[in-house]
Amino acid sequence: MGLSEAGGNESLPVQSGGLFATHWRGNYSLAKSYWRNGVLLFGLGINLPLMILILVALIVFKEKPALQLIVCLGEMALILAAYVWVLVGTWRAARKYKGPRIWAILAQIGMIMGVMVTIAHVGQDISIISHVASGHVAAENVTLGR
């Protein structure tokens, strides 16, 4: 059986060029991945609005701890999913970076530090959520630590 009979001559599928897929694969420049997608899109476009949403939900649902819990957990899931997307794409872009290696290393160090801070914040958020859900802390006294 020849190579053509085994399907060896078929071209590889064309990869989607959408923002999310392109970033996930690390196909944007390191600068675009880090600053545009990480800082602007994630930080200001996703993280900040979701933090505002959760604070509003804690006030609006102050008499309904079950709804507070649902909103808090949903917000955490969305934030973490978006954060993983940012980290993976930026890390891959840093590995593909062809410029001075120091920029890729600094970007990776920044991401590692960000992960450590995020782990601390998630732990703090879980503690706050469990206190609110159990009725030990009034929702209006809660501020999430991001």
Side-chain angles (χ1 to χ4, degrees):
M1 174 156 76
L3 190 57
S4 62
E5 295 166 346
N9 286 338
E10 296 174 9
S11 62
L12 294 173
V14 176
Q15 294 182 340
S16 163
L19 169 76
F20 294 102
T22 302
H23 175 79
W24 178 259
R25 292 184 197 107
N27 290 339
Y28 282 120
S29 70
L30 179 57
K32 278 186 180 178
S33 293
Y34 191 89
W35 293 109
R36 185 190 70 186
N37 297 342
V39 174
L40 294 176
L41 182 62
F42 172 73
L44 297 177
I46 295 171
N47 197 19
L48 185 61
L50 284 176
M51 285 191 324
I52 293 167
L53 169 72
I54 199 166
L55 292 174
V56 169
L58 288 172
I59 293 167
V60 169
F61 300 132
K62 71 179 176 183
E63 302 297 325
K64 299 174 181 167
L67 286 176
Q68 288 177 334
L69 182 63
I70 290 168
V71 170
C72 290
L73 292 174
E75 183 263 356
M76 284 180 62
L78 289 172
I79 290 287
L80 290 175
Y83 194 51
V84 167
W85 172 76
V86 167
L87 287 173
V88 169
T90 305
W91 193 272
R92 288 175 175 169
R95 293 189 68 181
K96 293 178 180 181
Y97 184 65
K98 301 292 185 205
R101 190 73 188 133
I102 187 68
W103 294 117
I105 292 168
L106 289 173
Q108 290 173 324
I109 289 170
M111 287 183 284
I112 291 167
M113 290 171 44
V115 167
M116 291 188 305
V117 169
T118 299
I119 290 169
H121 285 178
V122 167
Q124 180 183 10
D125 290 354
I126 289 171
S127 175
I128 290 169
I129 289 167
S130 67
H131 280 61
V132 169
S134 67
H136 290 100
V137 175
E140 57 271 8
N141 296 330
V142 171
T143 57
L144 294 181
R146 271 193 262 345

